Amino acid sequence: MSSASTGPPIEGTAGLSVNDNESVPLGSVYNPTMPPTSPTRGPGMYREDGKPLSKNALKKLAKDREKAEKAAKRAALEEQQRRDREATSVDNAKANYGKLPMIRSTERTAVRRVLLNTLTPESHGGTTIVFRSRVQNARVQSAKLAFLVLRQQTTTIQTVVAANAEGTVSRQMVKWAGSINSESIVIVHGLVQTTPEPIKSASISDLEIHIQKIFVIAEAEPQLPIQLEDASRPEPLASESNAPLVSDSVDDEATREVQLDASGRPVVTLNSKLNNRVIDLRTLTNQAIFSISSGVCTLFREYLLQHSFIEVHTPKLIAAASEGGSNVFEVKYFDRKAYLAQSPQLYKQMLIAGDFERVFEIGPVFRAENSNTHRHMTEFTGLDLEMAFEEHYHEALDVLEGLFVYIFNGLKERFGKEIEVIRKQYPVDEFKIPKDGKVLRLTFAEGVKMLKEDGVELSEYDDLRHVISKLGCTNIVTKYSLYSTIDERHLGRLVRAKYDTDFYILDQFPLAVRPFYTMPSPLDPKLSNSYDFFMRGEEILSGAQRVHDSKFLEERMRGMDPPIDPNSEGLKDYVDAFRYGAPPHAGGGIGLERVVFLWLGLGNIRKASAFPRDPQRVRP
Amino acid sequence: MSSASTGPPIEGTAGLSVNDNESVPLGSVYNPTMPPTSPTRGPGMYREDGKPLSKNALKKLAKDREKAEKAAKRAALEEQQRRDREATSVDNAKANYGKLPMIRSTERTAVRRVLLNTLTPESHGGTTIVFRSRVQNARVQSAKLAFLVLRQQTTTIQTVVAANAEGTVSRQMVKWAGSINSESIVIVHGLVQTTPEPIKSASISDLEIHIQKIFVIAEAEPQLPIQLEDASRPEPLASESNAPLVSDSVDDEATREVQLDASGRPVVTLNSKLNNRVIDLRTLTNQAIFSISSGVCTLFREYLLQHSFIEVHTPKLIAAASEGGSNVFEVKYFDRKAYLAQSPQLYKQMLIAGDFERVFEIGPVFRAENSNTHRHMTEFTGLDLEMAFEEHYHEALDVLEGLFVYIFNGLKERFGKEIEVIRKQYPVDEFKIPKDGKVLRLTFAEGVKMLKEDGVELSEYDDLRHVISKLGCTNIVTKYSLYSTIDERHLGRLVRAKYDTDFYILDQFPLAVRPFYTMPSPLDPKLSNSYDFFMRGEEILSGAQRVHDSKFLEERMRGMDPPIDPNSEGLKDYVDAFRYGAPPHAGGGIGLERVVFLWLGLGNIRKASAFPRDPQRVRP
């Protein structure tokens, strides 16, 4: 009953008056066993003119009183009988409601269970259906009437439990059903009926269900740690013309946990949602977000399989911190040490040297970075691909562009309903891509020029991630990650204003900020054949042509500052892979959660991860 | 040239005689600068009857000799000129061959590159094509003629480099092309021609290519650590009527590395292949194996997406060794410890409690087991799924059955060519499933009965994995893994003999050998609603109905030996997930590499992993 007071208003229901005649509140019931008080000086002893009544009149009065007393007694008796029926076993609806024992697979009747999202007035109006659902909220309207909103994932429907004359739905059943704990799971048998007016409080507006039977099969505890309604409340515009999205720090649980909003309703912080993630995931919004996340993976694979890629799985346990430095998780591996792969980079390249031509992988990527920002996690899902090319790494860029256009269009085509659901909680501008499908490609130099013209001070070879050089950091992964995003977002806004797109590519990055395996540019020794992809001004893909010649690779490694040893345990296998012929190749790594949170404008990457991991969080 | 001597025999080629007139071996060339020896007593000085020649005759002879000498001088001069042309710069074919500089994406001509597997006599006979490929082997047949077998993944084709009169293909070019290091990558321009007789040494038997231009773009070092031909040699029948497949220990590199086979050819051990995996992966067999591995994932997803599942990603970094015991890898996580998930089990169940109804995941699974067998790895790819059901966990079993039948049929339909390639190296009986698609389900008790009737001593509730109880092991994961497979295989053979299937299910396992989250059976308190799936007598899936009630879950945990604390850090979140209502659910976890190696009869799981990990191996 905890949510009854916060439930949505009940709207008009077919064939039932909300203003039920017997709207006596529970707990203040008229007691029929108390005898009527005998009048000592009542209005009935005198005539209207004040004179005493005649004998006959008095006789008639006594007779009337006797009659009334008899009637009252009879009524009291009947009421007593009714109460007795209710209080003891005489409930004709008893078989139609209650809590069932835990389902242990004792029987298989194969009674067809219906999905609510398949209901239409045409197909189901007037029919009786059976279904399993959650109780979103329940409330007793009167002794004869209760309303429950029931939920299946992103579908909600209004249902009615109304006591009837035949007793197949009794008052006890109404009372019991109306007090089912929110989030409990029930099996319902009910009659589908069209509604006289649209129901706004449920996702199905033209149908409601008149419950005939209802059984709890999994009872939720009465006190939920967070209310779905509170967790579903719309949040401020996540992105307004690409302004900084949210603070670059995680929520501070201590200071925010107890906040109330302007209307005095509890604000459920992101931390609180994540601490109670299993309940939080049930919100319509989260159901929709993770459908879309699944959809991105499906579209990613569809496109790549159509383009002759094969799916591979590279090891996450590796012998050495091969991609460099301290940002790698160390693992106790029997009597030695191993490490968690920071990306499939080296192994997907080895597969190219192993003749697989075009490979992709979807798998976890581990980064031991102490980055507490809105877009970093210590574990995320990498969508990686690598391909041999013939002449120019732009062949890979073409594939990547086609891939993203396919994903963006596919999401809009297949997940219209989910997008609509999410927009209610996270209103955001539509994600813009050029209508002709031609993706904007700028060179890094052009990007710098745009920023300079807008007054940003940058030298020609500055990385947008120029904070790195200030940190004097040479670690690859850190180079990739620990940088200010201010200039990136600034450029994103300029690009949107000029080219009307939320998606674009920067090509030919400075060599100095790319890893040793990146191919230097033939155009300028300070540049490289590398690129980043941006969504709403934030990086979601890094990629490049790689060095495919072992001797040049060794040269590049030795020339790094500090030099990298090509014969070290973690890198020897990698360098050796290129000694026996490898085709020129290029590829990229995409962060799944980044694509999802930026495309949907969620403001924080954690909202696109079922159980996010960051330096502060390994639970739940 | 290292592989020239081991190359396949060269077969008939269109328009070119293999018995070239000038088949002088290189290095023992006729020297035209040496003057012809002057005869002192030649047959020409006497008539056939022995009398001296007449003056006229002598005169004629002298003239003839003069003539011959002149002709010889002229020939010598011409030969000298030819040699000079060759030796110096006069090579008209110079632009048509050679080693190109490293491709750094300097130009994009967009000349169409052809895939060899698209060639047919009808579409390409008589046309000139351009393509990139590896040199499988090259050999000089004569000064005018060289043969190269070129390879693109699983496609090989014979090519010819023949010196011509016009000089566009010169002898120098023939010599150079015939000595390209095996495994180098080349760009070829050539004329496609039909062959007069089928070529058996290449996968394309009806076409060959007459090379016009050939350029090395990535040169392999001359000495390969293993030869592809040696690594591709057929291995003994992996499975004969399901006899034990291979020794349950890894190859012993020390004793096996230098073995020769009966014909004196080097045997490349599995260890040696894995140590040189990038080269080993290029064999036709491995190209095909990993296409099929990709195919299993594709079919897995297709089926589940069609059946309303969504794809999810659960964390691999977890707060505690939640599934129990010592078989979990410990990770240094900033200033605390974390662990690698042994399966997505707990998280996929939490997603069910979070209303996702039907979820699947493809991702790495980590097992810190010191198991050195043919079918264990410390990291493998888990194909996991979990679903809410209505009445009976057999609803999940139905889905799983349908899934496997879909995968098996899909592999046969889509990968016929790959299967054929693999069978050449690993001959094995066709994998049998019932023709009507109805999968055999036996109860565990029925399996025990079959074994008993065949003379195996077992008690009714013995696990097939009865070694465990002898070890007194209570760890969940160990229970799942560290058991003898002898009885499983034995049962596999009995089932195949009786039911003619390599795929079957055992249902209703003893409760004692299943984890705490398994639902006990309503039929017998010693049994559980759990099942294993078997392929060729070996387990490839474990699954069950799970406990979906938090109170019963706590009871089960406390009742384990030793008891498990429901309030421990790693399990509290999990148990809490069921406090607020969870539907009954069931699922299973499939080992991708097990499915691939058993379906193909490869004999060792490592052959189905690109870069396998076991207690001894974290490299390459």
Side-chain angles (χ1 to χ4, degrees):
Chain A
M1 290 291 295
S2 59
S3 68
S5 57
T6 57
I10 301 298
E11 291 160 71
T13 63
L16 277 166
S17 165
V18 174
N19 299 313
D20 191 279
N21 285 331
E22 193 179 3
S23 60
V24 185
L26 289 168
S28 63
V29 181
Y30 162 66
N31 187 345
T33 59
M34 196 162 66
T37 47
S38 163
T40 51
R41 185 191 156 90
M45 303 288 280
Y46 298 82
R47 289 193 344 201
E48 286 180 20
D49 56 9
K51 293 187 177 151
L53 292 168
S54 66
K55 242 187 181 162
N56 272 347
L58 278 169
K59 216 172 176 178
K60 186 177 182 294
L61 190 70
K63 213 170 182 176
D64 283 355
R65 188 179 291 163
E66 195 182 340
K67 232 168 150 181
E69 275 171 8
K70 269 186 187 162
K73 270 186 188 158
R74 193 168 57 242
L77 186 70
E78 278 172 7
E79 180 62 23
Q80 182 57 42
Q81 284 169 343
R82 195 181 65 77
R83 293 275 151 189
D84 287 351
R85 265 205 314 278
E86 278 187 22
T88 61
S89 61
V90 194
D91 174 4
N92 291 327
K94 257 192 117 181
N96 297 337
Y97 69 96
K99 189 177 164 187
L100 296 184
M102 182 171 67
I103 292 175
R104 287 177 63 178
S105 307
T106 43
E107 62 166 4
R108 198 170 178 186
T109 64
V111 169
R112 199 166 152 264
R113 301 278 173 91
V114 170
L115 289 179
L116 296 178
N117 62 11
T118 65
L119 298 186
T120 64
E122 297 72 33
S123 61
H124 290 84
T127 67
T128 293
I129 59 169
V130 182
F131 61 97
R132 168 173 54 85
S133 71
R134 274 197 199 274
V135 175
Q136 171 119 331
N137 58 61
R139 68 166 166 185
V140 173
Q141 181 72 16
S142 72
K144 280 182 171 174
L145 189 64
F147 291 96
L148 287 78
V149 175
L150 300 182
R151 188 179 80 235
Q152 282 181 347
Q153 301 188 287
T154 55
T155 308
T156 54
I157 194 162
Q158 177 165 288
T159 67
V160 181
V161 190
N164 56 20
E166 308 85 53
T168 57
V169 176
S170 62
R171 288 168 183 238
Q172 294 98 320
M173 179 169 161
V174 168
K175 188 179 168 189
W176 180 87
S179 60
I180 296 173
N181 291 339
S182 285
E183 295 302 304
S184 296
I185 299 177
V186 291
I187 304 289
V188 169
H189 298 237
L191 179 69
V192 182
Q193 295 210 320
T194 52
T195 53
E197 48 184 295
I199 294 171
K200 287 184 196 127
S201 58
S203 75
I204 296 177
S205 60
D206 53 356
L207 291 172
E208 65 178 9
I209 290 170
H210 291 243
I211 291 179
Q212 295 160 342
K213 299 181 185 180
I214 180 165
F215 306 99
V216 166
I217 61 159
E219 191 174 30
E221 293 189 359
Q223 284 303 322
L224 295 170
I226 57 172
Q227 300 298 325
L228 263 73
E229 199 198 0
D230 297 333
S232 304
R233 208 158 281 139
E235 297 191 5
L237 256 182
S239 162
E240 200 167 347
S241 67
N242 248 358
L245 300 180
V246 295
S247 150
D248 261 11
S249 64
V250 290
D251 291 46
D252 183 345
E253 193 165 350
T255 58
R256 299 193 55 190
E257 191 85 58
V258 291
Q259 283 189 354
L260 299 179
D261 70 7
S263 319
R265 297 172 305 187
V267 170
V268 186
T269 65
L270 180 55
N271 247 349
S272 184
K273 287 179 186 175
L274 296 178
N275 287 341
N276 300 285
R277 190 59 159 164
V278 169
I279 296 171
D280 181 47
L281 286 173
R282 296 178 192 165
T283 63
L284 305 197
T285 306
N286 277 329
Q287 292 289 313
I289 287 173
F290 291 96
S291 285
I292 284 176
S293 174
S294 173
V296 172
C297 294
T298 301
L299 291 160
F300 176 80
R301 276 197 209 90
E302 275 180 12
Y303 184 84
L304 295 178
L305 290 171
Q306 283 162 19
H307 287 77
S308 305
F309 283 73
I310 70 163
E311 180 168 10
V312 296
H313 304 283
T314 63
K316 306 307 159 207
L317 289 167
I318 55 174
S322 49
E323 273 193 83
S326 54
N327 295 321
V328 62
F329 288 114
E330 185 186 299
V331 180
K332 219 177 119 191
Y333 194 80
F334 302 100
D335 49 3
R336 56 162 290 172
K337 281 178 190 172
Y339 301 88
L340 289 179
Q342 289 161 296
S343 83
Q345 183 59 41
L346 307 188
Y347 283 92
K348 67 182 182 175
Q349 285 191 254
M350 288 159 83
L351 288 169
I352 295 296
D355 269 2
F356 286 101
E357 285 287 317
R358 295 179 162 209
V359 298
F360 73 86
E361 176 167 12
I362 299 185
V365 166
F366 304 95
R367 301 279 165 90
E369 295 164 29
N370 201 349
S371 304
N372 297 284
T373 81
H374 74 291
R375 65 172 187 178
H376 285 95
M377 295 195 293
T378 50
E379 178 181 348
F380 63 88
T381 304
L383 307 179
D384 260 273
L385 63 91
E386 199 73 22
M387 60 178 268
F389 63 78
E390 301 297 340
E391 296 185 302
H392 202 292
Y393 73 98
H394 282 181
E395 294 164 38
L397 222 45
D398 292 346
V399 170
L400 285 166
E401 281 182 7
L403 169 63
F404 275 97
V405 171
Y406 185 81
I407 290 172
F408 298 146
N409 289 338
L411 289 179
K412 281 175 74 172
E413 281 161 25
R414 302 183 194 179
F415 295 92
K417 193 189 146 201
E418 284 79 5
I419 293 165
E420 201 183 306
V421 165
I422 296 164
R423 291 276 189 271
K424 282 183 191 160
Q425 184 163 5
Y426 300 107
V428 74
D429 293 346
E430 184 79 8
F431 186 83
K432 283 193 179 179
I433 55 170
K435 286 201 180 63
D436 58 3
K438 253 186 88 69
V439 176
L440 177 65
R441 273 186 213 179
L442 300 173
T443 63
F444 181 83
E446 286 168 329
V448 169
K449 192 161 165 257
M450 284 177 75
L451 281 170
K452 276 175 158 177
E453 286 171 0
D454 205 56
V456 179
E457 283 181 32
L458 280 171
S459 84
E460 198 176 345
Y461 295 108
D462 257 358
D463 188 8
L464 289 184
R465 307 155 176 187
H466 60 283
V467 172
I468 305 162
S469 47
K470 289 177 193 160
L471 291 172
C473 181
T474 55
N475 179 285
I476 299 157
V477 173
T478 307
K479 272 191 177 164
Y480 270 116
S481 309
L482 276 182
Y483 48 82
S484 158
T485 59
I486 295 163
D487 288 340
E488 279 187 9
R489 287 182 184 166
H490 188 157
L491 182 57
R493 285 193 295 278
L494 296 178
V495 167
R496 193 179 213 260
K498 184 168 176 183
Y499 297 100
D500 199 32
T501 180
D502 284 312
F503 180 59
Y504 75 100
I505 296 170
L506 275 192
D507 192 14
Q508 291 280 310
F509 267 69
L511 182 61
V513 297
R514 301 301 249 200
F516 64 84
Y517 46 74
T518 304
M519 182 66 83
S521 174
L523 307 171
D524 181 334
K526 284 191 165 180
L527 296 179
S528 63
N529 289 348
S530 66
Y531 39 84
D532 278 8
F533 284 32
F534 296 85
M535 286 174 65
R536 298 194 198 266
E538 302 202 54
E539 181 255 319
I540 52 105
L541 174 145
S542 251
Q545 175 180 356
R546 329 294 185 178
V547 175
H548 61 281
D549 178 277
S550 62
K551 288 189 184 61
F552 188 55
L553 188 60
E554 287 177 317
E555 192 186 314
R556 286 272 301 143
M557 292 168 85
R558 294 206 170 92
M560 296 297 280
D561 179 25
I564 297 169
D565 179 8
N567 292 315
S568 63
E569 189 186 10
L571 288 167
K572 191 177 182 315
D573 297 320
Y574 172 71
V575 176
D576 283 351
F578 301 103
R579 295 196 194 289
Y580 308 101
H585 58 285
I590 303 162
L592 168 64
E593 295 86 353
R594 282 206 181 168
V595 171
V596 173
F597 103 82
L598 289 167
W599 194 76
L600 291 170
L602 303 181
N604 193 308
I605 195 168
R606 291 164 185 78
K607 294 177 186 166
S609 172
F611 298 100
R613 295 293 181 252
D614 64 35
Q616 267 75 48
R617 179 179 291 283
V618 273
R619 280 181 61 180
Chain B
M1 292 287 294
S2 59
S3 67
S5 58
T6 56
I10 302 297
E11 292 161 67
T13 65
L16 276 167
S17 166
V18 174
N19 299 314
D20 190 279
N21 285 330
E22 194 180 1
S23 59
V24 185
L26 289 167
S28 64
V29 182
Y30 163 66
N31 186 346
T33 58
M34 196 163 64
T37 47
S38 162
T40 52
R41 184 191 157 90
M45 303 289 279
Y46 297 84
R47 288 190 349 198
E48 282 179 21
D49 57 6
K51 290 187 179 154
L53 291 167
S54 67
K55 243 187 185 165
N56 273 348
L58 280 170
K59 217 170 175 178
K60 187 180 179 291
L61 190 68
K63 215 168 181 178
D64 284 352
R65 189 178 289 163
E66 197 180 338
K67 232 166 145 182
E69 275 171 7
K70 269 186 185 161
K73 270 185 188 158
R74 195 169 57 242
L77 185 68
E78 279 172 5
E79 179 63 22
Q80 183 57 39
Q81 285 168 343
R82 194 181 66 77
R83 293 276 153 188
D84 287 351
R85 267 206 313 278
E86 279 188 19
T88 62
S89 62
V90 193
D91 175 3
N92 292 326
K94 259 192 115 181
N96 297 338
Y97 68 96
K99 190 177 164 184
L100 296 184
M102 182 171 67
I103 292 175
R104 286 178 62 179
S105 307
T106 43
E107 62 165 5
R108 198 171 178 187
T109 64
V111 169
R112 196 166 155 264
R113 301 277 173 90
V114 170
L115 289 179
L116 295 178
N117 63 11
T118 64
L119 297 185
T120 63
E122 297 72 32
S123 62
H124 290 85
T127 67
T128 292
I129 61 170
V130 182
F131 61 97
R132 169 173 53 85
S133 71
R134 275 198 198 273
V135 175
Q136 170 117 330
N137 58 62
R139 68 166 167 185
V140 174
Q141 180 74 16
S142 73
K144 281 182 170 175
L145 190 64
F147 290 95
L148 287 78
V149 175
L150 299 182
R151 190 181 77 234
Q152 282 179 348
Q153 301 188 288
T154 55
T155 307
T156 55
I157 194 163
Q158 177 164 289
T159 67
V160 181
V161 190
N164 56 20
E166 308 86 52
T168 57
V169 176
S170 63
R171 287 167 184 241
Q172 294 98 316
M173 179 169 162
V174 168
K175 191 178 167 187
W176 181 86
S179 60
I180 296 173
N181 292 340
S182 287
E183 294 302 305
S184 296
I185 298 177
V186 291
I187 304 290
V188 169
H189 298 237
L191 180 69
V192 182
Q193 295 212 318
T194 53
T195 52
E197 48 185 296
I199 294 170
K200 285 184 198 130
S201 58
S203 75
I204 296 178
S205 60
D206 52 356
L207 291 172
E208 63 178 11
I209 289 170
H210 290 243
I211 290 179
Q212 296 160 343
K213 299 181 185 180
I214 180 166
F215 306 99
V216 166
I217 61 158
E219 191 175 32
E221 293 190 359
Q223 285 301 324
L224 295 170
I226 57 171
Q227 300 298 325
L228 262 73
E229 200 199 0
D230 297 334
S232 304
R233 208 158 283 139
E235 297 190 8
L237 256 181
S239 162
E240 201 169 345
S241 67
N242 248 355
L245 299 178
V246 295
S247 151
D248 262 12
S249 64
V250 290
D251 292 43
D252 181 345
E253 193 165 350
T255 58
R256 297 192 57 188
E257 192 84 57
V258 291
Q259 282 188 356
L260 300 179
D261 70 6
S263 319
R265 297 171 304 187
V267 171
V268 185
T269 64
L270 179 56
N271 247 347
S272 184
K273 286 178 186 175
L274 296 178
N275 288 340
N276 300 285
R277 190 59 160 166
V278 170
I279 296 171
D280 181 47
L281 286 173
R282 295 177 191 166
T283 62
L284 306 198
T285 306
N286 277 330
Q287 291 289 313
I289 287 172
F290 291 96
S291 285
I292 285 175
S293 173
S294 173
V296 172
C297 294
T298 302
L299 292 159
F300 177 80
R301 274 195 213 90
E302 275 180 11
Y303 184 84
L304 294 178
L305 289 171
Q306 284 161 19
H307 286 77
S308 306
F309 283 74
I310 71 162
E311 181 168 9
V312 296
H313 304 283
T314 63
K316 306 308 159 205
L317 289 167
I318 55 174
S322 49
E323 272 193 83
S326 55
N327 295 320
V328 61
F329 288 114
E330 184 185 302
V331 181
K332 221 178 118 188
Y333 194 80
F334 302 100
D335 50 2
R336 56 162 291 171
K337 281 179 190 171
Y339 301 88
L340 290 178
Q342 290 161 294
S343 84
Q345 183 59 40
L346 306 188
Y347 283 92
K348 66 183 183 174
Q349 284 190 256
M350 287 160 82
L351 288 169
I352 296 297
D355 269 3
F356 287 101
E357 284 286 318
R358 295 181 162 208
V359 298
F360 72 86
E361 176 167 12
I362 299 185
V365 166
F366 304 96
R367 302 278 165 91
E369 296 165 28
N370 201 349
S371 303
N372 297 283
T373 81
H374 74 290
R375 65 172 188 178
H376 285 93
M377 295 194 294
T378 50
E379 179 181 348
F380 63 88
T381 305
L383 307 179
D384 261 274
L385 64 91
E386 199 73 22
M387 60 178 268
F389 64 78
E390 302 297 340
E391 295 186 303
H392 202 292
Y393 74 98
H394 282 182
E395 294 164 37
L397 222 47
D398 292 345
V399 170
L400 285 166
E401 281 182 7
L403 168 65
F404 274 96
V405 171
Y406 185 80
I407 290 173
F408 297 147
N409 289 339
L411 289 179
K412 281 174 75 172
E413 280 161 24
R414 301 183 195 180
F415 296 92
K417 194 189 144 203
E418 284 78 6
I419 293 165
E420 203 183 305
V421 165
I422 296 164
R423 290 277 189 270
K424 283 183 190 159
Q425 184 164 4
Y426 299 107
V428 74
D429 293 346
E430 182 80 6
F431 186 83
K432 284 193 178 177
I433 55 170
K435 285 200 181 64
D436 58 4
K438 252 187 88 68
V439 175
L440 177 65
R441 271 186 215 180
L442 299 173
T443 62
F444 181 83
E446 287 167 330
V448 169
K449 190 161 167 259
M450 283 177 76
L451 281 170
K452 276 175 158 176
E453 285 172 0
D454 204 56
V456 179
E457 283 182 33
L458 281 170
S459 83
E460 198 177 343
Y461 294 109
D462 258 354
D463 187 10
L464 290 182
R465 308 156 175 185
H466 60 284
V467 173
I468 304 164
S469 47
K470 288 176 193 160
L471 292 172
C473 180
T474 54
N475 179 284
I476 299 157
V477 173
T478 307
K479 272 191 177 166
Y480 269 116
S481 310
L482 276 181
Y483 49 83
S484 158
T485 59
I486 294 164
D487 288 338
E488 279 186 10
R489 287 182 183 165
H490 188 157
L491 182 58
R493 285 193 295 280
L494 296 178
V495 167
R496 193 180 212 259
K498 185 168 176 183
Y499 298 101
D500 198 34
T501 180
D502 285 311
F503 180 60
Y504 75 100
I505 296 170
L506 275 191
D507 192 14
Q508 291 280 310
F509 267 68
L511 182 61
V513 297
R514 303 299 249 200
F516 65 85
Y517 46 74
T518 303
M519 182 66 83
S521 174
L523 308 171
D524 180 336
K526 284 192 166 180
L527 296 179
S528 63
N529 289 348
S530 67
Y531 39 84
D532 278 8
F533 285 30
F534 296 85
M535 286 174 64
R536 299 193 198 268
E538 302 201 54
E539 181 256 318
I540 51 103
L541 174 147
S542 252
Q545 176 180 353
R546 329 295 184 177
V547 175
H548 61 280
D549 179 276
S550 63
K551 287 192 184 59
F552 188 55
L553 187 60
E554 289 178 317
E555 191 186 315
R556 285 273 301 143
M557 292 168 86
R558 294 207 170 92
M560 297 296 281
D561 179 23
I564 298 170
D565 179 8
N567 293 313
S568 63
E569 189 185 11
L571 289 168
K572 191 177 181 318
D573 297 319
Y574 172 73
V575 176
D576 283 350
F578 302 103
R579 293 196 195 289
Y580 308 101
H585 58 286
I590 303 162
L592 169 64
E593 295 86 354
R594 282 204 182 169
V595 170
V596 173
F597 104 85
L598 289 167
W599 194 76
L600 291 170
L602 303 181
N604 193 307
I605 195 168
R606 291 164 184 78
K607 294 176 185 167
S609 173
F611 298 99
R613 295 294 181 252
D614 64 37
Q616 268 75 49
R617 179 179 291 283
V618 271
R619 280 182 61 183

